[in-house]
Amino acid sequence: MTGTVSAATLAARGEPDPRESADRLLRDLRTSRRGLAGREAARRLAVTGENVLVRSGRRLWVRELLRQLTHPLAALLWLAALLALASGTVPLAVAIVVVVLLNAVFAFAQERHAVRAVEALEAYLPQQVRVRRDDELVTLEARLLVPGDVVAVGEGERVSADARILSGSVEVDLSTLTGESLPVARGVEGRLDAPLLEATDLLFSGTSCVGGEVEAVVYATGMHTELGRIAALAQRTEPDPSPLEQQVTRVARLIALVAVGTGLAFIPVGTLVAGMSVADTVQFAIGLLVANVPEGLLPTITLALALGVRLLARSGALVKRISAVETLGSTSVICTDKTGTLTLNRMRVVRCWTPSGTTTVDPSATAPLAGARRLVRAAAACTSATWDPSAPAVEHGDPTEVALLRAAPLAGLPVPDHADRLQVFHFDPALKRMSAVHADGRDRVVLTKGAPESLVGLCRFVGAQDGTDLLLTDDHRTAVLALVDAWAREGLRVLGVASRRVSPAEPDRLERAGAERDLTLLGLVAMVDPPRTEIAPAVQACHSAGIRLVIVTGDHGLTAKGIAQQVGIGDAGTPVVTGRDLDAMGDAELDALLEAHEELIFARSSPEAKLRIADALRALGHVVAMTGDGVNDAPALRRADIGVAMGRTGTDVAREAATMVLTDDNFATIVAAVRSGRQVYDNVRKFIVYIFAHATPEVVPFLAYALSGGRIPLPLTVMQILAIDLGTETLPALALGREPAEPGIMEAPPRRRGQNVVDRTMLGRAWGLLGGLSAALVLTANLVTLRAGGWRPGADVATGPLHHTWQQATTMSFLAIVACQVGTAVAARTQRASLRRTGLLTNPLLGWGIAFELAFAAAVVLLPAAQRVFSTAAPEPWQVALLLPMPVLVWGADEVWRWRRRRARPTAAPGPTARP
């Protein structure tokens, strides 16, 4: 166990023992409590390397490539190759093996591309760390940490390296290392005899701080950390296939099993009933296997999802799992916070209330809040944020607290540096308040800020501007809360501020309950955070798409409702459910509430409430996207189908738990991500239609050959099928994965949870309409060519004058399939809309793919070397003319089918009350 590393082992590694005294550890690391100089840190970085976990992938690529060579679809092609070899058709066996190898290399390359697409996103949001360099606390990328650095770790931040605590205390989530779900306390004091992971004065890379603040000296980075040692020992787990990949794999296996069953069953039927030779029946079985195996399907899906990840990244949404792209498209409920997501997250103080009256901030005044100095001083001091007026653009911490710091100069006060802070009780989402104990000369004072309804009940007095305290009566409380409601209706965020002088008889270390009692209410601070201009159109898009919107916020209900109405969420009758109301509800009542109202506002909500709401919505069959930014939001982010963390204001813990991270903290980006998810899912369905449609014209000619007992010669050779599946089909399928969003994509309701990507309608369109028409055209071209060359049923085409005619006929079958592929590719670009709405030239990649397809087909039938390999012959002009209308016929038939669907089921844009 890594937790029992001895001092001797550490010494043998040349590493300092972190359990020795702090002063000795600092000496061994050649550093001090003031941290390292920038130049020294740069020198150490050159020696120790970056603070990253090195992924050992030297043999992984071999295993991944072998997996592509042995998956069930490849196994069927191996079987076809063995049958060809057993029947003496060596060139065909070699060709099939080449196809398997090329397809495996292609699939392997696409999977590596997908993995790189996801891993590359880490560069967009590098983990940040606060570190002392040149005796100043600065923010750097965590990869630049070196042993000897002194770092600051606070609530919501991830620990970026193994470190020894020098000052302060924290609660840490060690579950990544120990599996222990409950946070543990860590501080300055430790035991020398404790195992390493149980040492109470050490922090470990990969763990998360859930409360408190410390400074610690780094003693190990990168692969030398405990997390690095575990990573070096553990094998990297294989990612689970996405639901979409599982569905398509099941369908492909079903098709393959049908092909195997049909092929094997026909061998005795063909020989005993139809009178065919064993060699002919084996060749028929091989043709069925090759024609039915959708070789390029799975890698094409992987590539489409990887492209979706990159598309979302350009929109500002960083998806951490490739499978999440498909889930995004089926989102039916978005549970969103208010602050920073619907609003700009640029808080500024606009009003203050004290017992002396209300003060409104006048930007043109020198000190507009001078009359509320006592209130502003306490509010600014009771923060954990930092802001320097000399560099006003640089700020660190919660925007609400930064707004309080910015208010200090407006009252003629210096910005507090918290140097006199003795103790802090961090913001508690359940209590809705934060407190700090500060030194005031020889006395101590408790400063508290938070939700007014949480704070007023703890107050016994109300403070005047001159420092005197008056008894707080029930009438005062009623008037204060009425003012809070009035300001909240205007969309203002209101905080209450209170204080208390600590008696000398009280202990040096106060408990929270003992500190937050008998407070003096100093007043109220009102802040404005205007909604983003782009939110209203995004909300309208959600309404059109049948997506429900639920606001889950810790803010006052009336404030949230005011902002919601400004952006188009809900109306005057939209229910506002407080955290207290929600706690009083049973699960059945919550389910009934969620079913009865399309849009709701949950106010003064705790992180536990978010988790409960997400569970309830999922139990009702919804696909839920949940936003969050705090440490305690992590369980709800993990439980939701799509956990959405804030990239700018979110904590490291929230970003770690989330499926998607917003680089701009913008609700509109969520809606754009849903649109992109729908686009990717639709594109997957489009190229599945395209690939499946070609199975019918490839299989039907073999059936005609078999059912005629060989009287109709083989209309298509297995080599020509391989040329279609690997040569002409691949690039247009990939291009369909890049198809622009179909018109009206956000005017249809979300798909149901668990809805299969392949359904009966899709199969009917692919195999019946597009495939059936293509098969009829292919057989027509084949038989017309045979008849024009003098063929009669049963005539020998293996030798003699009809052999060239047969070659021309199979060539026409091959070219007819290619021509029908062109029509199918154009038709598959849209599932409902007409080509006129979509635009013929809106996907230039498809144009290039079709151009390559035609060029490849021309090479197969015109080049002498290719003619020998694929048994083709150059077509005559009248035969080429016969091919020209085929793409239009295939596309036209599908266009009529889609027109009838639109008339039968017109797409109506659902309103805000539409059910998904």
Side-chain angles (χ1 to χ4, degrees), residues 426-515:
H426 290 279
F427 178 78
D428 188 315
L431 299 177
K432 303 297 180 189
R433 60 181 179 266
M434 167 193 173
S435 294
V437 182
H438 284 249
D440 185 11
R442 294 186 177 182
D443 296 333
R444 290 178 294 165
V445 61
V446 175
L447 304 174
T448 304
K449 76 173 192 308
E453 59 269 31
S454 167
L455 198 61
V456 169
L458 302 175
C459 295
R460 287 186 59 194
F461 307 96
V462 60
Q465 183 66 18
D466 60 4
T468 59
D469 295 342
L470 305 175
L471 189 65
L472 183 65
T473 65
D474 290 340
D475 290 341
H476 284 143
R477 289 189 176 91
T478 302
V480 168
L481 294 178
L483 180 61
V484 170
D485 288 347
W487 284 359
R489 288 190 187 94
E490 299 179 38
L492 300 178
R493 185 171 194 179
V494 187
L495 291 179
V497 183
S499 67
R500 178 178 74 86
R501 288 207 169 271
V502 180
S503 167
E506 295 184 60
D508 292 339
R509 299 292 294 179
L510 299 176
E511 296 294 330
R512 183 163 202 153

Side-chain angles (χ1 to χ4, degrees), residues 264-288:
L264 294 180
F266 187 80
I267 292 177
V269 174
T271 52
L272 300 177
V273 178
M276 297 168 60
S277 66
V278 175
D280 288 342
T281 55
V282 169
Q283 190 175 21
F284 170 79
I286 295 171
L288 275 181

Side-chain angles (χ1 to χ4, degrees), residues 59-347:
R59 297 187 179 180
L60 287 179
W61 69 270
V62 177
R63 186 167 69 243
E64 291 176 5
L65 188 58
L66 286 175
R67 184 164 55 85
Q68 297 298 338
L69 291 169
T70 56
H71 68 76
L73 299 183
L76 287 175
L77 292 178
W78 286 117
L79 175 61
L82 289 175
L83 288 174
L85 189 63
S87 65
T89 317
V90 177
L92 177 59
V94 172
I96 295 175
V97 170
V98 170
V99 168
V100 174
L101 295 176
L102 289 176
N103 190 65
V105 171
F106 173 75
F108 169 76
Q110 299 315 317
E111 286 204 358
R112 298 306 302 164
H113 173 82
V115 170
R116 284 195 298 269
V118 176
E119 291 180 349
L121 298 181
E122 296 175 1
Y124 282 84
L125 280 178
Q127 187 178 339
Q128 303 288 316
V129 63
R130 291 178 291 147
V131 58
R132 289 200 176 278
R133 291 280 174 88
D134 297 314
D135 204 16
E136 289 187 4
L137 196 62
V138 296
T139 301
L140 298 175
E141 291 185 29
R143 63 184 180 85
L144 301 178
L145 283 182
V146 295
D149 267 327
V150 174
V151 295
V153 181
E155 180 179 348
E157 296 178 334
R158 285 191 65 198
V159 180
S160 303
D162 289 358
R164 166 73 175 271
I165 296 175
L166 300 176
S167 63
S169 62
V170 288
E171 287 190 333
V172 183
D173 178 3
L174 292 174
S175 57
T176 53
L177 289 179
T178 66
E180 176 60 48
S181 59
L182 295 177
V184 295
R186 290 292 183 262
V188 176
E189 301 298 329
R191 295 196 344 259
L192 192 60
D193 58 341
L196 200 62
L197 291 181
E198 297 177 16
T200 57
D201 55 353
L202 298 183
L203 300 176
F204 299 101
S205 178
T207 60
S208 304
C209 174
V210 298
E213 179 100 12
V214 296
E215 287 200 357
V217 59
V218 173
Y219 66 84
T221 60
M223 297 302 291
H224 296 286
T225 63
E226 293 302 305
L227 185 64
R229 293 189 181 104
I230 293 173
L233 293 173
Q235 292 292 327
R236 188 179 178 187
T237 58
E238 292 290 334
D240 294 329
S242 71
L244 175 63
E245 291 170 321
Q246 291 174 351
Q247 289 179 29
V248 175
T249 300
R250 285 196 296 268
V251 173
R253 286 177 177 174
L254 177 62
I255 295 170
L257 288 175
V258 170
V260 171
T262 305
L264 294 180
F266 187 80
I267 292 177
V269 174
T271 52
L272 300 177
V273 178
M276 297 168 60
S277 66
V278 175
D280 288 342
T281 55
V282 169
Q283 190 175 21
F284 170 79
I286 295 171
L288 275 181
L289 282 176
V290 176
N292 276 286
V293 173
E295 299 96 336
L297 186 58
L298 295 181
T300 307
I301 288 176
T302 302
L303 179 61
L305 294 177
L307 294 173
V309 169
R310 295 197 171 188
L311 180 67
L312 290 169
R314 286 196 293 268
S315 302
L318 308 185
V319 178
K320 294 163 59 179
R321 292 199 313 268
I322 193 171
S323 61
V325 177
E326 65 188 84
T327 310
L328 271 168
S330 60
T331 299
S332 59
V333 180
I334 299 177
C335 296
T336 178
D337 196 357
K338 177 188 71 68
T339 303
T341 310
L342 300 179
T343 62
L344 291 170
N345 208 17
R346 295 175 186 166
M347 291 281 189

Side-chain angles (χ1 to χ4, degrees), residues 349-354 357-361 369 372 375-376 487 524-526:
V349 175
V350 292
R351 292 179 204 163
C352 289
W353 172 87
T354 66
T358 299
T359 303
T360 301
V361 174
L369 294 179
L375 167 66
V376 174
W487 284 359
L524 304 174
V525 178

